[in-house]
Structure formats: C-alpha cells, structure tokens
Amino acid sequence: MKKKKWWLIPLIGVLILLGIGGKLVIDKQNKAEKLQEEMIKVVKSEEAKQVFEEGLKNLDPKALTPEGVIRTYEIDYDSIENNPMSGINVTILANSKENLYVFFTLKKNESGKLEDGGGGNSSDLEKLLEGDKHVK
C-alpha cells in the first residue's frame, strides 16, 4: 500500500508549481490590459486632442480646415503602445488614409500637463505638405 502513494508528493508539487505559474501569467496579462485601458483613456482625453491638433497645425497651418492639406484626422487605436522611454506612442491618420500619418509620443511635463514628446510623419504626408499633388 505504501508503494502506490509515493508518486502523490511529486504530483502535488508539480500541480502547485503549475498553479503559481498560471497565476503569474494571468496577473501579468491583467496588468497589461489595465495599462492599455489607461493609455486609451489618455489618448481619448480633451488634453490629448489639443496636443494632436496643435501638432497637426504645426505641420500644416491650415490643418483641419477645407483649405488645409490635413482636413481631418482619426486616432489609430491599434497603434497605441507604451513608450519604453516614458509616455504613450500613438499614430494619427490624416484624411482617413493609411499612408498619411503622424505619430506622437504623449508625455506629461514637470507640471503634469500632457505634451508632444516627439514623433514624425509619413513620407507621403511630407510630400503633400511640400506641395506634391501626385500623392494619393
């Protein structure tokens, strides 16, 4: 009878380790989902909208008007990610076109105000801003 039960101790040990490992994986996933939700909330904020619009108007003084190269914009929510150097990376699509984009890094300054921490734009958008009418 004693010979049959010796395997229970290693089995219980393995099950405990699997349970701990599973919990750690789930906790890490929950933390990542919570961080993503917080970043989306920041990107959707009125303060972020002001940063985006100011950045677009720096590129195109007539942005968001019928005369501007950049007439409309939308946030690419799939692009939102944590910047390892701090902040949130996000891509803005100009005129609802995948090839016309601007990327921003949203950061909080010392006073806690949201600002553009850097970014850039697509070469197609750059060409349009320079007056090239052949970009689609």
Side-chain angles (χ1 to χ4, degrees):
M1 192 84 161
K2 285 186 178 185
K3 281 189 174 184
K4 291 183 181 179
K5 294 186 180 183
W6 70 267
W7 57 270
L8 281 176
I9 294 173
L11 178 64
I12 290 170
V14 167
L15 290 174
I16 289 171
L17 289 175
L18 285 173
I20 291 170
K23 172 140 178 45
L24 292 174
V25 168
I26 289 170
D27 288 350
K28 185 176 180 179
Q29 187 175 16
N30 288 342
K31 185 177 178 181
E33 288 172 4
K34 185 176 180 183
L35 177 63
Q36 189 68 21
E37 288 172 12
E38 289 172 12
M39 290 188 300
I40 289 171
K41 186 177 176 182
V42 169
V43 169
K44 286 183 172 182
S45 72
E46 189 63 33
E47 192 176 9
K49 179 181 176 183
Q50 291 172 357
V51 171
F52 298 146
E53 292 181 2
E54 181 181 321
L56 295 175
K57 288 177 182 176
N58 285 338
L59 290 172
D60 175 9
K62 295 182 180 179
L64 309 177
T65 69
E67 298 84 35
V69 170
I70 302 170
R71 292 185 185 99
T72 63
Y73 74 93
E74 61 187 65
I75 298 165
D76 178 2
Y77 289 100
D78 291 334
S79 73
I80 298 170
E81 63 182 14
N82 187 39
N83 183 310
M85 300 299 288
S86 84
I88 301 169
N89 292 338
V90 60
T91 301
I92 303 295
L93 303 178
N95 305 336
S96 299
K97 294 188 177 183
E98 297 272 333
N99 64 322
L100 304 178
Y101 60 84
V102 181
F103 55 92
F104 290 86
T105 299
L106 297 174
K107 291 185 173 187
K108 296 254 182 187
N109 63 20
E110 292 85 29
S111 64
K113 187 173 189 243
L114 205 58
E115 64 183 11
D116 181 10
N121 48 292
S122 68
S123 60
D124 283 348
L125 181 57
E126 191 65 37
K127 288 174 188 173
L128 269 180
L129 292 168
E130 291 172 354
D132 186 347
K133 304 292 184 198
H134 298 91
V135 178
K136 293 181 181 180

